[in-house]
Amino acid sequence: MRVIGVASAALLGVSALTLTAPAAHASSVSSGFRVSVLPTTIAAGGQVTLRATGCEQGVFVTSGVFDDVAIPRGRTTATATVYWDAKPGAVYQVTFHCGTFWQNAELTIAGGGRDHPAHKPVTPQRGVQAGGGGSVAGFDLQEIGLGAALVAGSLGAAYRISRRHPDQDGA
């Protein structure tokens, strides 16, 4: 009878790990997807380079400051022209879509507009905004919590099943 309890606990543990594997796989797939907008500060009417790496399919790029752009499969860059009426000093989100994954980058509009048709990059007045990448970026706290709850619950159930006495099994 003791063998049945141990086998049940082992099966429950393996099942819990199997259920958490898709979330781990999804995060590892998305961790290779990297995006950038260059330059990060541009005058209205200027042209930016959109870069996306680590996506095995075409990337769709959207923003409120330029027309939607597609980066075809097999390429890593595309260009977009910023609208002439973009508000100087405004910061716009640029969203890159790779299948079901997406990442955002920021684009700041420098002074200029119709009075300055030449679009040249402006040096930002602040330092690099770092710290968004790495192994933590893109994690959803709800997914982490659900995974932790599944693992903790299965470990608790496995411990409880393995600690039962023979008289509790009805034998």
Side-chain angles (χ1 to χ4, degrees), residues 52-71:
T53 58
C55 184
E56 299 297 321
Q57 54 192 325
V59 177
F60 188 67
V61 185
T62 61
S63 181
V65 73
F66 54 77
D67 291 332
D68 294 347
V69 176
I71 301 174

Side-chain angles (χ1 to χ4, degrees), residues 9 19 38 97:
L19 290 174
L38 296 172
H97 300 272

Side-chain angles (χ1 to χ4, degrees), residues 13-97:
V14 169
S15 298
L17 289 175
T18 302
L19 290 174
T20 59
H25 174 70
S27 65
S28 68
V29 169
S30 67
S31 66
F33 181 45
R34 304 276 188 247
V35 300
S36 64
V37 178
L38 296 172
T40 57
T41 302
I42 190 89
Q47 198 169 43
V48 294
T49 299
L50 308 169
R51 181 175 176 81
T53 58
C55 184
E56 299 297 321
Q57 54 192 325
V59 177
F60 188 67
V61 185
T62 61
S63 181
V65 73
F66 54 77
D67 291 332
D68 294 347
V69 176
I71 301 174
R73 181 178 184 202
R75 295 197 46 208
T76 57
T77 62
T79 58
T81 302
V82 175
Y83 295 144
W84 279 104
D85 60 350
K87 182 180 176 185
V91 178
Y92 291 90
Q93 285 281 60
V94 179
T95 305
F96 294 76
H97 300 272

Side-chain angles (χ1 to χ4, degrees), residues 78-132:
T79 58
T81 302
V82 175
Y83 295 144
W84 279 104
D85 60 350
K87 182 180 176 185
V91 178
Y92 291 90
Q93 285 281 60
V94 179
T95 305
F96 294 76
H97 300 272
C98 173
T100 58
F101 301 105
W102 70 89
Q103 286 195 15
N104 292 321
E106 289 185 347
L107 178 62
T108 303
I109 306 302
R114 294 192 187 277
D115 297 337
H116 302 286
H119 54 277
K120 60 179 184 176
V122 176
T123 305
Q125 297 299 318
R126 54 191 168 115
V128 175
Q129 293 181 348

